[in-house]
């Protein structure tokens, strides 16, 4: 009877934990996205701005204040190395494929710093890195 109750408790806990995750959290990431995420992670960790810019979409969102330009983001990041540390952390955590086909790192970031990747005509690219709403 004790074994049965423990088994039931494990199933209930597992169901509750699973219910808190969106269904898409378990989807495997597209191989192209995985390669770009790894390259961004490496470039951010080494503060290689030119390499990062090649991995970014030209219309890159890095501020909710209307800034949508990869060159502006790189200039801001050169002035604030903490941003690259946050990008390195975000891309080093588990990522999630979204239903719209994009990938976000880390998964379930909420309002924390998060990077978004999408397929483009040039292949997978980082399209945003923001924090907040």
């Amino acid at each position: 009877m004790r074994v049965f109750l423990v088994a039931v408790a494990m199933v209930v806990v597992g169901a509750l934990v699973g219910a808190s995750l969106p269904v898409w959290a378990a989807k495997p990431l597209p191989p192209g996205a995985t390669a770009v995420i790894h390259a961004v992670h490496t470039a951010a960790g080494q503060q290689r701005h030119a390499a990062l810019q090649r991995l970014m979409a030209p219309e890159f969102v890095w501020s909710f204040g209307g800034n949508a330009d990869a060159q502006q983001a790189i200039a801001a990041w050169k002035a604030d190395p903490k941003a690259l540390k946050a990008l390195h952390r975000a891309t080093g955590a588990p990522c999630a494929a979204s239903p719209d086909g994009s990938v976000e790192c880390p998964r379930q970031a909420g309002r924390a710093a998060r990077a978004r990747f999408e397929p483009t005509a040039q292949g997978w690219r980082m399209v945003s890195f923001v924090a907040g709403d």
Side-chain angles (χ1 to χ4, degrees):
M1 180 67 158
R2 177 182 247 173
V3 171
F4 174 75
L5 290 176
V6 170
V8 168
M10 290 174 64
V11 169
V12 169
V13 169
L16 291 173
V17 169
S20 69
L21 297 175
V23 173
W24 51 268
K27 279 177 62 174
L29 301 180
T34 303
V36 170
I37 293 165
H38 177 72
V40 166
H41 178 72
T42 301
Q46 297 172 354
Q47 296 188 5
R48 294 176 45 228
H49 299 98
L52 272 174
Q53 189 167 351
R54 287 190 297 273
L55 301 166
M56 298 162 68
E59 309 81 23
F60 184 82
V61 176
W62 61 279
S63 166
F64 289 123
N67 298 315
D69 181 272
Q71 290 179 340
Q72 289 176 346
I74 293 294
W77 295 347
K78 284 179 179 178
D80 181 12
K82 289 184 282 185
L84 288 187
K85 289 179 183 176
L87 178 58
H88 185 255
R89 246 187 334 272
T91 54
C95 303
S98 299
D100 67 2
S102 66
V103 173
E104 187 171 276
C105 304
R107 68 176 171 227
Q108 297 183 319
R111 296 176 65 178
R114 60 210 178 269
R116 188 169 205 76
F117 298 83
E118 294 179 359
T120 70
Q122 294 76 36
W124 279 88
R125 293 290 183 266
M126 182 170 56
V127 297
S128 68
F129 180 61
V130 294
D133 283 337

